[in-house]
Amino acid sequence: MKQNIYDNPIFFKNYTSLRETGVTYNDFIEQPAIKSLISSLKDKTVLDLGCGTGQFANYCVEKGAAKVLAVDISKNMIDKAMKENNHEKIEYHCSPIEDFQFNHQTFDLIISSLAIHYIEDYDSLITKISQLLKDGGEFIFSTEHPIVTARKDMNNWVRDEGGNKLHWAVDHYQEEGIRKEYWYIDGVIKYHRTISTLLNTLIEKGLVLEKVVEPTSIAIGLEKMPKVINEERKPSFLVIKAKKQEVKF
Amino acid sequence: MKQNIYDNPIFFKNYTSLRETGVTYNDFIEQPAIKSLISSLKDKTVLDLGCGTGQFANYCVEKGAAKVLAVDISKNMIDKAMKENNHEKIEYHCSPIEDFQFNHQTFDLIISSLAIHYIEDYDSLITKISQLLKDGGEFIFSTEHPIVTARKDMNNWVRDEGGNKLHWAVDHYQEEGIRKEYWYIDGVIKYHRTISTLLNTLIEKGLVLEKVVEPTSIAIGLEKMPKVINEERKPSFLVIKAKKQEVKF
């Protein structure tokens, strides 16, 4: 059974309340980085893996995408998406992203925002993504940075007696696999993978690495959420863009 | 004036004594990783940037390289190389690797072992390396891992009162530039760069990323130097292989 924390009522309530503030790491760090990597959305066919409440799917349509297929494991999320970000060009599906069945569809752009660290079998997912991309198509995804997921005890800021952040703690880096943490509810499971695994798997599956971003906050974030300055001290996210090789004749 | 610690007599004596033991991080972790990435040396023209005492240049010739151009900033190192690893197929030059003048030569393989973290201007060096590679040629280099160079106070293992290693400390990650440390002598200067800078610069200069390795020790290392087990907790090195794009007609 795949983990589906977003259908836990306590988690869902807290998570959606947080996102609705518009004052989050997503708003100031991760989403700007993802968006900065997209070449163009005009007339593109997009697949959004882990679409949540459909905000990004809606953004794609606003920017001229021809069609967005948006998939999420959580019924809560998909229900909310269909209410708040309904559009004739967006097709929502409730399914674990690993299990979704595609009917010979291919895509110009595949996006996945902070979902891949919940996926156990990265290798199979990237194989599938590579097959789903058109030649020259782009895959852009964000994930928690391996510096963040490495240590098994994920309370990673080491503080002095006054609570000041002394440094960030890394450990168990090469030991890939399950990391459990408390995030609104107990036992949220993420998967740690090394930077080399994240990158080499893309290359092995026929993708060409185009850019790697370890984003810091945009300017407005530093005003509205001063603690994002700590992103200078260690990155929270890794954002990667890769391209399916174009076949040349 | 470029830093040339290897011509400091105290440093040189200590460093060469260490390397001659054959029981080092180079022997068990870094060199095996570099060598594992080389496709073939047979009949290849090789450039070795930061060649030290020429052991690797000699390895290339043993494995069938047609010619090795080996460059190092240190006169001490080049003198020792010409004594210990002299070969008609190896040409040694004493020069900072950034300043060496090439006469329209190009190479099948460019190697740089743990030298690039001493170089201030990575961007210019990679531009030059890209120009020096033949189409389809390989660039393989190792550098200290950004997890290691990030924190300004480079005493990165945080220990308990009994001296046991609790975790590895990371800080100042996004602040690229000079890091000073004590390594046999005071004020050894290294340059910290983020993983994204290391990778994106290669891509921007026309190289295709082929593999990223965060190496752990080979088996014999765990026997002869038990502390290398700590490489499981955090990687010391980053080893990168990139290829000059082949021009297709």
Side-chain angles (χ1 to χ4, degrees):
Chain A
M1 177 68 191
K2 288 173 179 86
Q3 182 188 224
N4 180 359
I5 47 172
Y6 294 88
D7 280 350
N8 175 301
I10 297 164
F11 185 91
F12 183 71
K13 184 164 174 288
N14 280 284
Y15 179 80
T16 49
S17 302
L18 173 71
R19 289 300 296 267
E20 279 163 10
T21 63
V23 182
T24 69
Y25 280 70
N26 305 66
D27 295 293
F28 301 134
I29 303 165
E30 183 265 347
Q31 282 290 303
I34 290 238
K35 288 174 182 171
S36 76
L37 293 178
I38 302 172
S39 306
S40 160
L41 283 159
K42 186 95 184 84
D43 301 326
K44 296 293 168 73
T45 307
V46 181
L47 172 63
D48 184 355
L49 295 172
C51 65
T53 62
Q55 285 176 312
F56 184 80
N58 196 52
Y59 169 84
C60 293
V61 169
E62 280 173 4
K63 297 285 177 188
K67 172 94 196 154
V68 183
L69 181 59
V71 181
D72 203 283
I73 193 172
S74 158
K75 192 172 173 317
N76 278 342
M77 286 289 186
I78 292 291
D79 286 349
K80 199 167 157 67
M82 290 177 80
K83 235 180 287 171
E84 295 176 4
N85 290 298
N86 200 11
H87 195 286
E88 54 178 6
K89 292 182 177 170
I90 307 175
E91 192 181 320
Y92 290 107
H93 285 276
C94 185
S95 163
I97 65 181
E98 309 95 303
D99 300 344
F100 188 69
Q101 293 297 320
F102 297 87
N103 300 314
H104 308 289
Q105 288 155 288
T106 53
F107 299 89
D108 298 302
L109 174 63
I110 300 180
I111 292 274
S112 184
S113 165
L114 298 178
I116 279 178
H117 48 249
Y118 295 122
I119 304 296
E120 187 174 3
D121 188 349
Y122 178 69
D123 195 273
S124 297
L125 182 68
I126 301 302
T127 301
K128 192 167 172 177
I129 285 169
S130 183
Q131 289 162 354
L132 288 167
L133 279 174
K134 293 182 187 177
D135 289 341
E138 294 174 356
F139 174 44
I140 301 172
F141 74 100
S142 59
T143 184
E144 286 203 16
H145 200 293
I147 286 179
V148 175
T149 54
R151 192 175 179 221
K152 287 179 185 174
D153 170 1
M154 287 177 75
N155 299 312
N156 283 6
W157 278 117
V158 176
R159 295 167 193 264
D160 66 12
E161 286 167 9
N164 302 302
K165 291 170 173 139
L166 294 176
H167 58 259
W168 185 260
V170 171
D171 207 343
H172 320 111
Y173 184 82
Q174 300 287 358
E175 209 175 316
E176 299 191 321
I178 289 179
R179 299 294 188 270
K180 283 188 190 164
E181 69 169 330
Y182 181 88
W183 188 29
Y184 301 131
I185 56 171
D186 244 336
V188 173
I189 290 175
K190 293 177 181 174
Y191 293 89
H192 169 65
R193 281 176 274 266
T194 64
I195 290 164
S196 33
T197 293
L198 288 170
L199 298 174
N200 293 336
T201 306
L202 298 170
I203 297 165
E204 285 158 18
K205 307 303 176 189
L207 303 179
V208 178
L209 203 73
E210 295 243 301
K211 192 141 187 177
V212 175
V213 181
E214 294 165 304
T216 53
S217 177
I218 56 173
I220 187 82
L222 293 164
E223 273 174 47
K224 296 208 167 175
M225 198 183 185
K227 70 175 175 178
V228 294
I229 190 70
N230 291 314
E231 295 300 296
E232 299 289 337
R233 303 180 66 179
K234 60 86 204 160
S236 293
F237 308 112
L238 189 64
V239 188
I240 298 174
K241 177 179 182 178
K243 202 172 186 174
K244 178 96 168 258
Q245 288 198 359
E246 286 177 86
V247 180
K248 285 180 185 154
F249 297 98
Chain B
M1 178 67 191
K2 287 171 182 90
Q3 182 190 223
N4 180 0
I5 47 172
Y6 294 88
D7 280 350
N8 174 301
I10 297 164
F11 184 92
F12 183 72
K13 184 164 173 288
N14 280 285
Y15 179 82
T16 49
S17 301
L18 172 72
R19 288 301 295 268
E20 278 163 10
T21 62
V23 182
T24 70
Y25 281 69
N26 307 65
D27 296 293
F28 301 135
I29 303 166
E30 183 265 348
Q31 281 291 305
I34 290 240
K35 289 174 182 172
S36 75
L37 293 178
I38 301 171
S39 307
S40 161
L41 282 160
K42 186 93 185 86
D43 301 326
K44 295 293 168 71
T45 306
V46 181
L47 172 62
D48 184 355
L49 295 172
C51 66
T53 61
Q55 284 176 312
F56 184 80
N58 196 52
Y59 169 85
C60 292
V61 169
E62 279 174 3
K63 296 286 177 187
K67 172 95 194 153
V68 184
L69 181 59
V71 181
D72 203 284
I73 193 172
S74 158
K75 192 173 174 316
N76 279 343
M77 285 290 187
I78 292 291
D79 286 350
K80 199 166 157 70
M82 291 176 79
K83 234 179 287 172
E84 295 177 3
N85 289 298
N86 200 13
H87 196 284
E88 55 178 6
K89 292 183 178 171
I90 308 175
E91 192 181 320
Y92 290 106
H93 285 278
C94 185
S95 163
I97 65 182
E98 310 95 303
D99 300 343
F100 188 70
Q101 294 297 322
F102 296 88
N103 300 315
H104 308 288
Q105 288 154 288
T106 53
F107 300 88
D108 299 302
L109 174 65
I110 300 180
I111 291 275
S112 184
S113 165
L114 298 177
I116 279 179
H117 49 248
Y118 295 122
I119 304 295
E120 186 174 4
D121 189 348
Y122 178 69
D123 195 275
S124 297
L125 182 67
I126 302 302
T127 302
K128 191 168 173 177
I129 285 169
S130 183
Q131 290 163 353
L132 289 167
L133 280 174
K134 295 183 188 176
D135 290 341
E138 294 173 355
F139 174 43
I140 300 172
F141 73 101
S142 59
T143 183
E144 286 204 16
H145 200 291
I147 287 180
V148 175
T149 54
R151 192 175 178 221
K152 287 179 184 175
D153 170 1
M154 288 176 76
N155 298 312
N156 283 6
W157 279 117
V158 176
R159 294 167 194 265
D160 67 12
E161 286 166 9
N164 302 302
K165 292 170 172 140
L166 294 176
H167 57 258
W168 184 260
V170 170
D171 207 343
H172 319 113
Y173 184 82
Q174 299 288 358
E175 210 175 315
E176 299 189 321
I178 288 179
R179 299 294 188 270
K180 283 189 190 163
E181 68 169 329
Y182 181 88
W183 187 29
Y184 301 130
I185 57 172
D186 244 337
V188 173
I189 290 176
K190 294 178 180 174
Y191 294 89
H192 168 65
R193 281 176 275 264
T194 63
I195 289 164
S196 33
T197 292
L198 288 170
L199 297 174
N200 293 336
T201 306
L202 299 170
I203 297 166
E204 286 159 17
K205 307 304 177 189
L207 303 179
V208 178
L209 202 73
E210 295 244 301
K211 190 139 188 178
V212 175
V213 181
E214 295 165 303
T216 52
S217 176
I218 55 172
I220 186 83
L222 294 163
E223 273 175 48
K224 296 208 168 176
M225 198 182 183
K227 69 175 177 178
V228 295
I229 190 70
N230 291 314
E231 295 301 295
E232 299 289 337
R233 303 180 66 178
K234 61 86 204 160
S236 293
F237 307 112
L238 188 64
V239 188
I240 298 174
K241 176 178 181 177
K243 201 172 184 174
K244 178 97 169 258
Q245 287 197 0
E246 285 176 87
V247 179
K248 285 179 186 158
F249 297 97

